[in-house]
């Protein structure tokens, strides 16, 4: 299973068993503004950085994605830098105000201060004659100058989050957009408006907005600002703007055609990146399935164990000689149930959401690679048309020049965001498994203490040993 599979699953063991971008982009941006090529100035923090991904398979995953035992000292910090913004400046769907551009400039000696705080809470059910849906309160606190106030409160439904994600992907096709929770009911959930389902979705939506807020480029997206600040009528009006249905259908058909055509020669670094994503997706999906299975088995075990306490109490009523011992066993089982419930709560809070989020991230990364290939395929088709002289050569030459800039910007944006994402991924997964391991240690330490206290009661110890043996066997 690789290093993550081995070390990670050891940390997730249940308590009942030991399981254990950028000169060309700035030149392009400058040309689009009518400035000299050097007007943008500066260097990209990640545009020319070599990929640290490997071409190979399991060794690559062990050495880079899942090497969670070694700390990275040369972490490249991405802040509110205009470089990533410029990398995707080819998109006409991304409005840029001078004020927001100023806020994106980050000097090397400037401290990295968080200036946008978002909270998603208070889910509320709405029932209409047509549908029933849930809205969530979003509170935003900020010190940014482009905001009209320092605090905003709005309510949004899940479809609004989907709209925001789509707008971010349109404006930044080769940046890694954080994933949203699945639209459909989580497997095993009986009711779409079940409290557990709503709470799980609320936490995932909270993570989504905060990951966007922490991203050095996405955080300054105009649609993101409107999502956080606009009142219901204003937000509804803004959502209706943009290309019409026929235009969107035309874009979709064009994207499918380019996707079917494919790219003639993908750069080697992106071949390595694609291999990395495929292997990572396999590994993280496997870990997600195993983690879900562990949780399911522990839940079934807990439900069964909860039945033993009352049985022993009833038993004690008919056995006077064993009454005290049976009541003590019932008390011991009750404590085991509470300890197991606490462990399962930590498991479902600390590990399961992180692993499943990166399952969704793997799908997002595949979509990003597909969009990058579509941009390159469009360039390839124009070059091919120019070569065969199927159209006006002057017009094609101009279009090819623009597409070359677009491809360069897309590639540099992806390379820079790729390194940022990999570092975050390593930190998140390492933290999740470490926290889970610490929870397991605490659980077993408490179990050992309880056993030491009960040494003075041999008959009770024998019963507890029987209970523990059946637990491990289960």
């Amino acid at each position: 299973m690789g290093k993550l599979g081995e070390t990670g699953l050891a940390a997730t063991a249940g308590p009942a068993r030991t399981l254990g971008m950028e000169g060309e982009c700035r030149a392009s941006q400058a040309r689009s503004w009518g400035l000299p090529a050097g007007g943008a100035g500066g260097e990209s923090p990640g545009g020319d950085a070599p990929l640290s991904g490997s071409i190979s398979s399991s060794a690559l995953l062990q050495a880079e994605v899942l090497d969670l035992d070694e700390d990275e000292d040369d972490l490249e910090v991405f802040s509110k830098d205009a470089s990533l913004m410029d990398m995707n400046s080819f998109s006409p769907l991304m409005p840029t105000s001078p004020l927001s551009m100023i806020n994106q400039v980050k000097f090397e000696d400037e401290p990295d201060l968080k200036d946008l705080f978002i909270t998603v809470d208070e889910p509320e059910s709405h029932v209409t004659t047509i549908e029933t849906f849930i809205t969530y309160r979003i509170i935003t606190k900020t010190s940014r100058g482009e905001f009209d106030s320092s605090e905003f409160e709005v309510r949004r439904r899940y479809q609004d989050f989907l709209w925001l994600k789509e707008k971010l992907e349109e404006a930044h096709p080769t940046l890694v957009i954080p994933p949203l929770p699945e639209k459909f009911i989580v497997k095993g959930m009986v009711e779409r408006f079940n409290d557990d389902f709503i709470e799980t979705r609320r936490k995932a939506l909270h993570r989504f907005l905060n990951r966007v807020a922490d991203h050095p480029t996405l955080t300054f997206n105009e649609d993101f600002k409107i999502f956080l600040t606009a009142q219901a009528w204003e937000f509804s009006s803004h959502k209706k703007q943009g290309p019409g249905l026929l235009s969107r259908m035309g874009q979709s058909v064009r994207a499918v055609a380019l996707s079917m055509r494919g790219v003639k020669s993908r750069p080697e670094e992106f071949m390595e990146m694609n291999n990395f994503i495929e292997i990572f997706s396999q590994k993280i999906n496997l870990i997600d399935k195993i983690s879900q299975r562990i949780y399911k088995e522990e839940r079934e075990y807990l439900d069964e164990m909860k039945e033993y306490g009352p049985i022993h109490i009833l038993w004690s009523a008919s056995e006077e000689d064993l009454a005290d011992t049976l009541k003590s066993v019932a008390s011991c089982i009750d404590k085991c149930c509470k300890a197991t419930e606490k462990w399962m709560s930590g498991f479902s809070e600390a590990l399961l959401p992180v692993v499943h989020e990166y399952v969704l991230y793997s799908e997002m990364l595949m979509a990003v690679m597909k969009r990058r290939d579509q941009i390159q395929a469009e360039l390839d088709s124009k070059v091919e048309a120019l070569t065969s002289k199927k159209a006006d050569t002057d017009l094609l030459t101009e279009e090819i020049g623009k597409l070359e800039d677009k491809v360069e910007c897309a590639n540099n944006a992806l390379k820079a965001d790729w390194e940022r994402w990999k570092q975050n991924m390593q930190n998140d997964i390492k933290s999740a498994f470490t926290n889970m391991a610490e929870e397991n240690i605490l659980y077993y330490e408490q179990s050992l203490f309880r056993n030491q206290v009960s040494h003075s009661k041999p008959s009770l110890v024998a019963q507890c040993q029987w209970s523990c043996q059946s637990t491990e066997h289960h």
Side-chain angles (χ1 to χ4, degrees):
M1 249 176 74
K3 189 171 183 179
L4 179 54
E6 295 172 359
T7 60
L9 293 177
T12 62
R17 52 189 170 275
T18 307
L19 300 174
M21 28 197 110
E22 151 186 23
E24 289 295 327
C25 291
R26 292 192 180 277
S28 174
Q29 183 70 64
R31 288 196 296 270
S32 67
W33 291 342
L35 299 175
E43 293 293 330
S44 168
D48 297 324
L51 290 174
S52 56
S54 170
I55 309 178
S56 63
S57 53
S58 304
L60 171 145
L61 221 27
Q62 287 180 313
E64 299 209 27
V65 185
L66 312 173
D67 190 4
L68 305 182
D69 296 327
E70 296 180 4
D71 292 325
E72 300 272 344
D73 296 327
D74 52 322
L75 169 60
E76 182 175 2
V77 178
F78 291 91
S79 57
K80 305 184 209 94
D81 193 337
S83 60
L84 279 178
M85 185 75 163
D86 292 342
M87 292 173 188
N88 269 328
S89 61
F90 57 80
S91 174
L93 300 174
M94 183 178 176
T96 305
S97 66
L99 185 56
S100 66
M101 289 175 59
I102 292 174
N103 277 278
Q104 292 173 67
V105 176
K106 172 104 167 70
F107 298 100
E108 293 183 359
D109 57 348
E110 180 183 346
D112 188 14
L113 299 176
K114 187 176 176 66
D115 55 6
L116 188 61
F117 302 87
I118 304 173
T119 303
V120 179
D121 59 13
E122 294 190 7
E124 184 178 291
S125 178
H126 299 263
V127 181
T128 68
T129 56
I130 301 177
E131 60 179 342
T132 300
F133 59 92
I134 305 295
T135 63
Y136 302 85
R137 184 179 70 166
I138 302 174
I139 297 177
T140 304
K141 298 180 180 181
T142 182
S143 58
R144 294 183 184 177
E146 65 263 37
F147 285 82
D148 298 331
S149 178
S150 60
E151 186 170 343
F152 300 87
E153 180 178 326
V154 297
R155 297 199 72 88
R156 300 285 184 257
R157 58 185 296 184
Y158 181 76
Q159 290 182 357
D160 299 330
F161 286 84
L162 284 176
W163 171 87
L164 174 60
K165 177 174 171 290
E166 291 172 359
K167 300 300 286 186
L168 292 175
E169 289 176 350
E170 290 175 4
H172 311 278
T174 56
L175 290 185
V176 183
I177 312 297
L180 278 173
E182 295 93 337
K183 180 178 181 178
F184 302 104
I185 301 174
V186 176
K187 187 176 182 180
M189 286 289 186
V190 178
E191 173 61 50
R192 184 165 66 120
F193 300 114
N194 176 285
D195 290 342
D196 292 337
F197 173 75
I198 293 174
E199 179 61 14
T200 299
R201 172 169 283 187
R202 182 200 65 78
K203 292 177 180 178
L205 296 177
H206 177 85
R207 277 197 306 274
F208 168 76
L209 290 184
N210 279 276
R211 286 197 182 274
V212 174
D214 292 338
H215 193 282
T217 302
L218 301 179
T219 186
F220 295 102
N221 180 274
E222 188 66 19
D223 289 312
F224 181 50
K225 174 186 172 184
I226 292 173
F227 178 90
L228 297 176
T229 62
Q231 293 305 311
W233 64 270
E234 185 182 3
F235 183 66
S236 178
S237 176
H238 182 78
K239 287 174 64 178
K240 295 177 182 178
Q241 299 175 8
L245 176 61
L246 293 178
S247 177
R248 293 197 302 270
M249 290 179 61
Q251 292 174 1
S252 299
V253 171
R254 182 183 178 189
V256 171
L258 290 173
S259 177
M260 294 293 292
R261 184 180 187 276
V263 292
K264 291 184 176 180
S265 59
R266 181 188 288 162
E268 182 65 24
E269 55 192 340
F270 295 110
M271 289 293 293
E272 296 175 2
M273 195 179 295
N274 190 70
N275 293 337
F276 186 99
I277 295 170
E278 289 179 354
I279 297 170
F280 175 78
S281 177
Q282 294 172 4
K283 298 291 184 179
I284 201 67
N285 272 279
L286 179 59
I287 292 173
D288 183 54
K289 290 179 181 178
I290 294 175
S291 299
Q292 295 289 349
R293 187 176 67 195
I294 291 174
Y295 184 81
K296 179 177 179 292
E297 290 177 354
E298 288 298 324
R299 169 56 65 187
E300 293 172 350
Y301 162 72
L302 177 61
D303 292 342
E304 183 178 342
M305 186 165 58
K306 283 182 176 179
E307 299 177 1
Y308 291 155
I311 290 175
H312 282 77
I313 293 296
L314 292 174
W315 188 5
S316 66
S318 60
E319 297 283 352
E320 295 183 0
D321 295 339
L322 298 175
D324 292 340
T325 299
L326 292 173
K327 290 179 179 179
S328 297
V329 172
S331 175
C332 178
I333 292 175
D334 181 63
K335 292 178 181 179
C336 288
C337 288
K338 291 179 180 179
T340 302
E341 282 183 323
K342 183 179 179 181
W343 178 88
M344 291 182 64
S345 176
F347 188 83
S348 63
E349 292 283 338
L351 185 67
L352 292 183
V354 176
V355 173
H356 192 67
E357 182 183 23
Y358 278 96
V359 169
L360 301 178
Y361 257 123
S362 67
E363 297 172 359
M364 287 294 301
L365 287 168
M366 292 178 181
V368 169
M369 290 297 297
K370 184 177 180 180
R371 290 195 292 268
R372 192 219 72 86
D373 289 348
Q374 288 172 357
I375 297 172
Q376 183 179 337
E378 187 177 4
L379 172 61
D380 292 343
S381 67
K382 297 295 182 181
V383 172
E384 185 178 329
L386 179 63
T387 302
S388 60
K389 297 181 180 180
K390 293 180 180 179
D392 182 56
T393 57
D394 292 337
L395 179 60
L396 277 176
T397 302
E398 182 180 354
E399 291 179 353
I400 289 173
K402 293 179 180 179
L403 283 172
E404 287 176 341
D405 289 341
K406 185 175 180 179
V407 169
E408 184 68 19
C409 290
N411 290 345
N412 289 335
L414 177 54
K415 287 188 287 186
D417 213 28
W418 170 257
E419 295 301 325
R420 184 196 62 83
W421 176 83
K422 279 206 303 183
Q423 187 62 56
N424 287 342
M425 176 271 294
Q426 291 176 0
N427 292 339
D428 289 345
I429 294 181
K430 178 178 180 179
S431 177
F433 281 116
T434 300
N435 291 340
M436 199 64 245
E438 291 175 351
E439 286 289 331
N440 287 344
I441 292 172
L442 179 61
Y443 173 86
Y444 286 110
E445 286 178 344
Q446 293 175 344
S447 299
L448 179 61
F449 175 75
R450 287 194 296 268
N451 287 336
Q452 289 175 341
V453 171
S454 62
H455 277 338
S456 59
K457 300 179 180 179
S459 58
L460 177 59
V461 171
Q463 293 287 347
C464 287
Q465 286 176 342
W466 169 82
S467 177
C468 290
Q469 289 172 358
S470 63
T471 294
E472 294 183 358
H473 175 69
H474 177 85

